[in-house]
Each structure stands twice: as structure tokens, then as C-alpha cells.
Amino acid sequence: MIQDDIINELQYIPEAKLIELYDLIHYFRLGLSSETIKQSSQENSLEIDKVMCFSVLEKITQGDFSGFSEIDDVGVHIENLRNEIS
């Protein structure tokens, strides 16, 4: 296992350099955790809101195209759709 190999290598590193190595490993791990959190929040923000989709489809099938025009700010438009549904 790679962890065993890393632990084995530690015995060959001078004691004075272990603090630097610890800092490197520690901050590397924190960076990985941060990336995971960012990635998961980005994935959540891209999830499809099924209720909103069905609401828009229902409006379209009823021939109601109000609110469908050129969108200047996509973020504001999406927020407005969310507010309509709730």
C-alpha cells in the first residue's frame, strides 16, 4: 500500500525537514478538501430543477409564451423563474 511506502520513506528524512514535509502534506490535503467542496457546490448549482422545468413546459403547452424573450442576464432570469414557482 502506498501509505506504507510513504511511512517507510519518512525514516530517511532528517528530523529538521519533517516540519516542512508536514506543512506540505497538510496544506496539500486541505487544498484537496477545498476542491472537493467547490466541485460539489458547482455540481449542485447545475442540477436541473424538475419543478421549474415542468412549470415552464406547462406554460408552453398552454400557448403561454409570456416571459419568453431575449434574456439579458441569465442568472436573473433563472432566479425569477424560481420565484414564480415558489
Side-chain angles (χ1 to χ4, degrees), residues 63-74:
D64 181 3
F65 295 103
S66 62
F68 292 97
S69 62
E70 189 172 321
I71 300 170
D72 293 329
D73 187 338
V74 174

Side-chain angles (χ1 to χ4, degrees), residues 18-56:
L18 286 177
I19 292 173
E20 292 175 42
L21 181 60
Y22 170 80
D23 286 343
L24 173 72
I25 293 169
H26 178 71
Y27 290 110
F28 180 80
R29 181 185 59 78
L30 289 178
L32 290 176
S33 297
S34 174
E35 286 178 11
T36 302
I37 290 169
K38 281 182 189 176
Q39 186 178 33
S40 110
S41 69
Q42 286 174 346
E43 288 171 359
N44 288 340
S45 69
L46 296 176
E47 287 180 1
I48 294 174
D49 185 337
K50 292 178 183 176
V51 174
M52 181 173 40
C53 288
F54 286 130
S55 173
V56 171

Side-chain angles (χ1 to χ4, degrees), residues 2-18:
I2 190 69
Q3 287 179 335
D4 294 332
D5 294 339
I6 292 170
I7 291 169
N8 186 45
E9 288 295 325
L10 288 174
Q11 64 186 330
Y12 302 109
I13 297 175
E15 185 76 27
K17 295 292 183 178
L18 286 177

